[in-house]
Amino acid sequence: MLINKRWAAFLIGVGIWTWVIWPRFGLAIWNDDRSFDGGTPTSFLWVHALLITASLAIGTTVGVLGVRAWRRAER
């Protein structure tokens, strides 16, 4: 399947957006009072860490697919 440059750019944008937003959210979660109980990570932190990790993995995959589609569209 070939993707045109417009859709490739959209996928690249989604990948970039993911890497702009989620690390900032991760920092906010880390600094949240509910993240630690006496220095021990809570379920709140672990669940959000899993969510952030999965989102970054998906965003990276989408971005890579966008770059590959962009390069292929040039041919």
Side-chain angles (χ1 to χ4, degrees):
M1 179 173 153
L2 293 176
I3 298 175
N4 65 28
K5 281 196 171 193
R6 180 179 289 172
W7 281 106
F10 174 75
L11 294 176
I12 294 168
V14 169
I16 292 169
W17 175 258
T18 299
W19 277 96
V20 169
I21 294 301
W22 285 105
R24 291 175 50 115
F25 182 68
L27 185 59
I29 294 298
W30 184 267
N31 292 327
D32 194 298
D33 293 337
R34 298 170 287 180
S35 294
F36 296 96
D37 184 19
T40 304
T42 63
S43 304
F44 176 82
L45 178 67
W46 288 114
V47 167
H48 283 87
L50 179 63
L51 173 67
I52 292 164
T53 302
S55 295
L56 287 172
I58 293 167
T60 300
T61 302
V62 168
V64 168
L65 290 173
V67 169
R68 290 177 66 188
W70 182 275
R71 288 180 179 164
R72 186 168 257 191
E74 290 178 349
R75 293 185 200 161

